[in-house]
Amino acid sequence: MKRRTLLQASAATAVTFAAPMMEAQTLPVGPIRIVVGFPPGGGTDALARVLAQKLQAMWGVNIVIDNKAGAAGVIAADFVSKQAPDGNILLMAHINSHALAPSLQPKLAYNVERDFTPIGLVGVTPNLLICNENQPAKTVKDLVALCKQNPGKISFASAGGGSAQHLALEMFKLRAGIDALHVPYKGSGPALTDLIGGQVQYCFETMTSATPHVKGGKAIALAQTRPKRAKGHPNVSTMDEQGFAGFDATTWYGLVGPAKMNPAFVKRINEDMNRVMAMPDVIEKFDQYGAEDGGGSPERFAEFIRSETQKWAKVIKDAKVQVDA
């Protein structure tokens, strides 16, 4: 009897100690790196840091942001695709690396569906169609008319060939039936500098980058590029509202890992991401960046990536867009 009691007590103790161990096993062991394919200070970096700070406090695990800028996020994505699937290295995926690059770069070293594990959508932001204060056309209708009167002469800056901003322009050109001059820059910063300075006339720019200039009066917003108005710019009408039904050209961000990650890791990270993005202070910060509609399951994010890839593949094909790999 004593032996049976001792065994029962030992079993109960084992279960008690196993519970936290099982909980711990749903998280990667050791520090976690979230790789960002852009320099510090941009929208991708800012959202990654908000998420990392909250998850670090929640998990008690050190999380660092690793900026590997270059090739519009492709360098970072390629790096993460080759890492072990232990959950210690994750990627803040971006529309450029996961929806545009597959159609723009036939020799891309990774395959989005094969080489990554979707974890969760972080947020979707509209682009703003903006101009400097000296431009004559300050509505979409007037801009279309201006471009038709001056085919190939009205200039549009972008953050680079093949960027989300460039592809928003290509979608606009297709839908409006216009010809315009694309002027690619090495990032949003120099593009906005020249826009404000008058060297270029218009651009589609991420809400994160454009908002300070619009709020400061140095740039004028003609439209935003999601079918619904973002909370950060309730008074700026959408392309849809200005005659381009269903016009949807966004920048989006999401967390992914290398292929074949432990499903328990993926489930835990996704659940805690959703908890973080429901926090009032996080919602407030994300609203400032125009990032909305994040969250949901890994499956939802995987389907979102597929639909975005298909949409932009058609635009790239129809517009005959080519960029240097």
Side-chain angles (χ1 to χ4, degrees):
M1 289 293 292
K2 287 183 179 179
R3 183 172 181 272
R4 181 179 297 175
T5 303
L6 181 60
L7 288 173
Q8 289 173 340
S10 298
T13 302
V15 170
T16 300
F17 282 106
M21 287 179 66
M22 290 175 65
E23 179 73 0
Q25 287 169 0
T26 61
L27 286 174
V29 176
I32 296 171
R33 273 198 287 164
I34 298 179
V35 180
V36 171
F38 301 89
T44 315
D45 179 78
L47 295 177
R49 289 179 189 278
V50 171
L51 194 64
Q53 182 182 32
K54 292 293 186 178
L55 290 176
Q56 179 171 279
M58 187 179 290
W59 295 340
V61 174
N62 189 37
I63 302 177
V64 298
I65 301 300
D66 183 3
N67 298 90
K68 291 186 180 297
V74 169
I75 289 174
D78 183 54
F79 170 78
V80 173
S81 73
K82 295 176 170 60
Q83 304 307 306
D86 55 15
N88 290 100
I89 297 179
L90 305 174
L91 172 73
M92 183 63 97
H94 186 276
I95 181 176
N96 289 356
S97 62
H98 274 62
L100 304 182
S103 292
L104 288 169
Q105 299 185 28
K107 296 181 180 180
L108 198 64
Y110 58 82
N111 178 286
V112 170
E113 290 204 40
R114 181 194 66 210
D115 296 329
F116 296 94
T117 300
I119 298 173
L121 179 65
V122 173
V124 182
T125 68
N127 291 298
L128 292 180
L129 172 55
I130 61 175
C131 68
N132 59 59
E133 57 186 6
N134 296 321
Q135 297 312 309
K138 294 184 175 67
T139 68
V140 176
K141 180 180 178 181
D142 289 345
L143 177 57
V144 171
L146 182 66
C147 289
K148 288 186 175 180
Q149 292 165 7
N150 302 275
K153 294 181 180 179
I154 305 304
S155 58
F156 285 75
S158 84
S163 65
Q165 297 93 321
H166 175 201
L167 270 294
L169 168 61
E170 295 298 337
M171 179 181 281
F172 178 49
K173 288 166 58 179
L174 285 172
R175 293 289 303 274
I178 59 172
D179 184 19
L181 177 63
H182 172 226
V183 183
Y185 286 81
K186 293 182 178 180
S188 295
L192 285 165
T193 296
D194 275 10
L195 177 90
I196 293 165
Q199 283 75 35
V200 286
Q201 296 163 284
Y202 295 86
C203 76
F204 288 89
E205 185 50 68
T206 63
M207 183 171 284
T208 306
S209 299
T211 292
H213 302 288
V214 172
K215 299 288 188 184
K218 294 181 179 179
I220 296 169
L222 285 67
Q224 51 183 301
T225 63
R226 289 194 79 190
K228 66 175 184 178
R229 298 189 187 191
K231 296 175 185 176
H233 287 273
N235 298 321
V236 178
S237 58
T238 66
M239 295 289 290
D240 182 284
E241 292 172 311
Q242 297 190 57
F244 292 85
F247 194 101
D248 189 6
T250 64
T251 298
W252 52 261
Y253 319 85
L255 200 64
V256 304
K260 300 179 181 179
M261 276 182 64
N262 183 336
F265 289 178
V266 176
K267 182 175 184 293
R268 173 71 185 278
I269 296 170
N270 173 268
E271 289 174 348
D272 287 345
M273 279 178 62
N274 280 295
R275 291 189 183 99
V276 166
M277 289 187 288
M279 295 176 179
D281 60 328
V282 172
I283 293 173
E284 182 180 355
K285 287 179 181 177
F286 275 30
D287 283 348
Q288 292 173 2
Y289 296 116
E292 299 177 359
D293 299 332
S297 67
E299 292 76 20
R300 178 206 177 206
F301 185 33
E303 179 54 38
F304 177 81
I305 295 173
R306 279 191 290 270
S307 66
E308 281 284 290
T309 302
Q310 291 167 4
K311 177 179 77 177
W312 289 112
K314 186 176 187 307
V315 172
I316 290 164
K317 180 181 178 182
D318 291 349
K320 298 181 174 61
V321 180
Q322 293 183 338
V323 298
D324 294 332

